[in-house]
Amino acid sequence: MSARLDGEQDTSPGTGTYDSAGNSSTELAPRGPATLRNERIAEEEAATEDVASPTTVTDVQIPGLGMVVEDGDLGWYYSAPIPVAVLGGTACRFVLDGYDNDPVPEDFHAAIRTFRALDRSALGAATSSIFAYYRDVMDEARADGGDQWYVEVDSPHEVLDHVRLGNEPTVSRDPYGDRHVYISVECECDWEPEHGLQIVFRDGATVTKVGPYDDHLTNSAAYGDDQLDGVVNRAH
């Protein structure tokens, strides 16, 4: 579910972890990033496990994506894999949430078009915020005596070397705040193997939220604090 940046080592969490002495342990294996969305899917599937609901081909054409398939239970649309430059040219499957009932689906189209036109400089502009998230996690780890999980990242210029970008951009409208359409990308990162890294693009154009994956599109919604409106990374 993720794209590896060129030249990085494979540090994806597996079925086990290792303590500071090099001993393996399966009990400490992290769940992996962005479990909230996966858990949501699992809960919906469990609630309707007796009802057959395969993903079906539709005749719905989404500008910028082409023909999509539909998940009958969740009501989401999925595109075929499409290369996305801002995510390193990786072939990504777009997920559209709430598209059918949206009053202005053209906003989805515009966000997708803008997002697909971005290059890596859009991520480069967010490295300071991503680095701030890294430092926040490491400060907490040290305070809790978790030095064995310490990951060395010297500067914002190096932080993306420790990120594996996601390949399922999710397009949805903010139902609570500014009502804009956002594109959220769930990623893995070396410094937070459990909660990962969420990168959110407002209108598909600019990174407006980074931090642990929490299924929210803005920090003001995530923490129920209007003063966080426009804050890209909320440090603890």
Side-chain angles (χ1 to χ4, degrees), residues 1-211:
M1 297 290 289
S2 61
R4 185 170 307 284
L5 300 179
D6 292 340
E8 68 176 345
Q9 295 180 347
D10 186 357
T11 55
S12 301
T15 57
T17 59
Y18 296 86
D19 59 22
S20 57
N23 299 313
S24 64
S25 170
T26 56
E27 294 181 358
L28 297 179
R31 292 180 298 161
T35 57
L36 291 177
R37 187 160 70 87
N38 293 333
E39 289 171 358
R40 176 184 167 193
I41 295 172
E43 289 172 0
E44 299 240 5
E45 289 177 344
T48 58
E49 60 183 359
D50 294 330
V51 179
S53 57
T55 299
T56 57
V57 176
T58 71
D59 58 358
V60 176
Q61 288 271 0
I62 306 294
L65 299 181
M67 196 79 74
V68 294
V69 297
E70 181 182 12
D71 184 299
D73 279 342
L74 299 177
W76 294 348
Y77 289 125
Y78 296 90
S79 75
I82 300 171
V84 177
V86 70
L87 301 180
T90 300
C92 296
R93 185 175 73 157
F94 281 77
V95 182
L96 279 69
D97 183 4
Y99 178 82
D100 270 344
N101 298 321
D102 193 85
V104 190
E106 292 80 10
D107 290 348
F108 279 67
H109 308 162
I112 292 167
R113 181 173 60 250
T114 300
F115 185 70
R116 291 195 60 196
L118 295 178
D119 59 26
R120 288 299 294 271
S121 65
L123 278 182
T127 54
S128 293
S129 296
I130 298 172
F131 185 67
Y133 169 47
Y134 152 77
R135 293 188 64 177
D136 188 36
V137 172
M138 290 298 95
D139 287 347
E140 284 195 349
R142 284 194 294 265
D144 293 340
D147 286 347
Q148 69 268 29
W149 301 111
Y150 186 78
V151 175
E152 185 69 36
V153 182
D154 293 329
S155 73
H157 300 292
E158 300 177 8
V159 73
L160 289 180
D161 294 337
H162 297 267
V163 172
R164 290 162 298 285
L165 298 169
N167 61 3
E168 280 198 353
T170 300
V171 190
S172 61
R173 188 180 295 278
D174 179 7
Y176 308 111
D178 61 14
R179 302 290 298 171
H180 280 253
V181 170
Y182 289 81
I183 297 183
S184 174
V185 184
E186 64 177 83
C187 311
E188 296 178 355
C189 60
D190 293 341
W191 63 87
E192 213 342 335
E194 181 173 359
H195 299 102
L197 167 67
Q198 181 183 18
I199 305 176
V200 183
F201 297 75
R202 185 176 186 259
D203 298 322
T206 306
V207 175
T208 52
K209 179 178 184 284
V210 301

